[in-house]
Amino acid sequence: MPQLTIVPHGDSAAVVLPAGVLEAVGLHVGDVVDVTLGDRQLILRVAEDAARRGLFEEVTREVFERRRDAYQRLA
């Protein structure tokens, strides 16, 4: 993975992503990404992947809730 430099951009800052990086993850100029902040980490995800992940988490919660008694008996 290349090292990138944070550069000034008006009153903010920017990281310029090389074409190869964008291509590797299937992003294009104008795409929307979700940003997750972690322990000194910045994670960018394609917005549609984040929506899909959210739907998966919601369905998983619903299934676990419906089957809570069975899961508790297994524990």
Side-chain angles (χ1 to χ4, degrees):
M1 235 343 114
Q3 288 188 337
L4 306 174
T5 302
I6 299 172
V7 297
H9 184 74
D11 290 339
S12 299
V15 174
V16 177
L17 302 174
V21 171
L22 292 174
E23 186 177 322
V25 295
L27 285 172
H28 301 90
V29 172
D31 285 351
V32 176
V33 295
D34 287 318
V35 179
T36 303
L37 303 175
D39 182 31
R40 296 188 50 85
Q41 294 181 350
L42 177 70
I43 302 168
L44 304 178
R45 286 192 177 93
V46 178
E48 68 182 42
D49 288 348
R52 188 177 308 129
R53 186 184 71 249
L55 178 60
F56 178 78
E57 289 172 356
E58 179 182 336
V59 169
T60 301
R61 274 193 303 274
E62 289 175 9
V63 169
F64 274 96
E65 185 61 35
R66 282 195 311 249
R67 309 250 189 250
R68 179 186 304 220
D69 291 340
Y71 292 128
Q72 287 176 341
R73 286 192 302 265
L74 291 172

